[in-house]
Amino acid sequence: MSPDDNESSAGRKKNLSRELIVEAALRYIDENGLHGLSMRVLGQELGVGAMALYRHVSGREDLLEGVVAHLMEGLSKELDESLTKTWQGYLQSLAHAVRRIAVEHWAAFPLVATRHPAVPWLRPPLRSVELVEDCLRTLSDHGFTDEQVSDAYRAFSSFLLGQLLLEAAVRGADTSPVEEALDEGDAQLPNRDADVDLRHSPVTKRLRPLLSEDRSLEEFEMGLETLLDRMELQLVQ
């Protein structure tokens, strides 16, 4: 029996699955940080050879994408229903739910915050198309025009990104680029969000042209102006 056969057999005995591997990767990141994670190291953590992992994840890049998806999975179900009857309460509840991820998994949160998606409607840190659709639909249902929905979504996600990435960094998260190669073995290309199916996300699909616009400078200026206005208000009170 070849070494590869031995590793595959060990993987089957361990009842490996993509979910189990992703959860193990998240635990490793929580305990040791992101930069030490590799397929070889994760295999050691699970008691199998690295090749056994490739039956379920195509490489480290795919593994990191899985960690991000796992962190964001089911987030909309965690929202406080007593608050979500208003758009303000919805955004407050959503913001605190995302912050819980940043606090509980601060070492992994830079993955959520900084891995740039291929499509603008999945801009960090709201990385789930279902979550983005829910957010856009909530604003639209409360009377926001399409332009206002787009502006609000941009401002909200930018606030979360900046504030929570800073919080994670203060807690010790490493926000610098990963030094080692991300593509191990036959890893697929990252950020395949462009292929996402929007048939069940009508608001996101409708707002696609607005969300695709590059308005970075305008967002920066608006955010800075809001900050300065708030500082001036505090000064005169």
Side-chain angles (χ1 to χ4, degrees), residues 4 9 11 22 56 87 104 131 136 174 180 199 223 235:
D4 287 351
S9 176
V22 167
H56 306 279
W87 66 266
E104 295 174 5
L131 187 59
L136 300 179
D174 190 347
E180 57 202 87
R199 287 178 295 178
L235 184 63

Side-chain angles (χ1 to χ4, degrees), residues 139-152:
L139 295 174
S140 182
D141 288 348
H142 281 86
F144 284 65
T145 66
D146 283 0
E147 185 74 27
Q148 289 170 333
V149 170
S150 176
D151 290 344

Side-chain angles (χ1 to χ4, degrees), residues 112-129:
V112 177
T114 62
R115 288 172 70 78
H116 184 66
V119 291
W121 51 86
L122 290 181
R123 58 188 283 164
L126 304 182
R127 301 296 300 265
S128 160
V129 66

